[in-house]
Amino acid sequence: MGSYRERVLPRITNVACGIKANEPMRRRVCEGLAGDVIEIGFGSGLNVPFYPATITRVAAVEPADTAWRLADKRLVATTVPVQRSGLDGQSLPFADDSYDAALSTWTLCTIPDVDVALQELRRVLKPGGTLHFVEHGLAPDERVRRWQHRFNPVQKRVFGGCHLNRPIVDLLTTAGFSITEVDVFYEKNAPKFVAAQSLGIAVSP
Ligand SMILES: C[S@@+](CC[C@H](N)C(=O)[O-])C[C@H]1O[C@@H](n2cnc3c(N)ncnc32)[C@H](O)[C@@H]1O
């Protein structure tokens, strides 16, 4: 991993994703998580304060060492056991059917082969296991989509491979998940091309 992605980007992400405006979405997406949970793209642990007490333990998957170090104060403050357990959502070092639930927040945009990552999540989730997600992606409106396609190459270069235009719900259903809850909306006070959020729960068959 290059030093920009390893050292600089995790600090930018820690500040950009750590804004107060994201907290209600983090609270909502973490609601109902229980048992053994895997979080892909754990980042600097910004979801940790929102983990419910019903979680038994969290396996954190995160490639950037700097992000993991930035999580330290949040890990000290929580009673939920969290262990860094993998580096790449595309190749999870876990047995089949081993997790009750998974969490992904603003990560499916960045993983290079998102289809492979979703297959890996399906493999490690128990049948009926839930993926709780909030992700930005392809906007509902054609006019906004055009800007997303236009800005995508720059976004990818500056933000470590982050795509503006991934169709989150389609990706989940194509991977075989059933969506039981989803809310698609534009986050307030943000440019629409980065603000199209999908927040919900997908169930592994
Ligand atoms: C925009 S950040 C979101 C971080 C965190 N989920 C949050 O909500 O603050 C995307 C995260 O995905 C991580 N990431 C990038 N490639 C990954 C991969 N192949 N597998 C797992 N995580 C990855 C990045 O290092 C980064 O921490």
Side-chain angles (χ1 to χ4, degrees):
M1 191 182 270
S3 66
Y4 175 70
R5 279 199 191 195
E6 167 50 41
R7 293 225 264 264
V8 180
L9 195 54
R11 293 175 200 283
I12 294 173
T13 306
N14 183 45
V15 174
C17 288
I19 56 172
K20 280 250 173 266
N22 285 345
E23 291 186 2
M25 288 184 276
R26 294 188 187 281
R27 186 168 291 112
R28 265 180 81 189
V29 76
C30 289
E31 258 169 35
L33 285 168
D36 289 351
V37 174
I38 171 175
E39 180 171 356
I40 58 163
F42 178 81
S44 55
L46 290 165
N47 291 320
V48 173
F50 303 96
Y51 287 165
T54 42
I55 294 180
T56 315
R57 67 184 177 97
V58 173
V61 176
E62 171 55 48
D65 293 342
T66 301
W68 180 249
R69 278 195 295 276
L70 289 168
D72 202 42
K73 58 181 185 299
R74 297 178 189 102
L75 295 173
V76 168
T78 184
T79 55
V80 175
V82 181
Q83 190 165 25
R84 190 180 183 193
S85 308
L87 300 175
D88 185 359
Q90 299 160 124
S91 174
L92 298 174
F94 311 122
D96 296 358
D97 303 342
S98 48
Y99 285 90
D100 299 295
L103 175 63
S104 176
T105 62
W106 300 297
T107 292
L108 298 181
C109 53
T110 300
I111 294 182
D113 194 332
V114 66
D115 297 319
V116 168
L118 291 172
Q119 288 306 327
E120 276 293 84
L121 281 179
R122 271 197 51 192
R123 182 182 65 75
V124 303
L125 279 171
K126 295 175 184 171
T130 51
L131 166 60
H132 292 226
F133 61 90
V134 58
E135 301 286 346
H136 71 87
L138 192 66
D141 304 293
E142 190 49 45
R143 198 179 52 83
V144 181
R145 287 181 179 193
R146 279 202 290 277
W147 285 105
Q148 292 184 311
H149 298 315
R150 208 166 290 160
F151 287 144
N152 202 45
V154 177
Q155 174 83 3
K156 278 168 47 185
R157 208 164 312 128
V158 176
F159 292 102
C162 171
H163 294 68
L164 289 171
N165 56 359
R166 283 189 169 162
I168 299 303
V169 169
D170 287 354
L171 287 169
L172 290 165
T173 50
T174 302
F177 285 93
S178 308
I179 310 278
T180 53
E181 283 176 34
V182 69
D183 189 6
V184 178
F185 57 96
Y186 291 109
E187 189 188 342
K188 285 188 194 129
N189 304 322
K192 280 191 167 174
F193 67 92
V194 285
Q197 307 287 349
S198 301
L199 188 157
I201 297 178
V203 179
S204 188

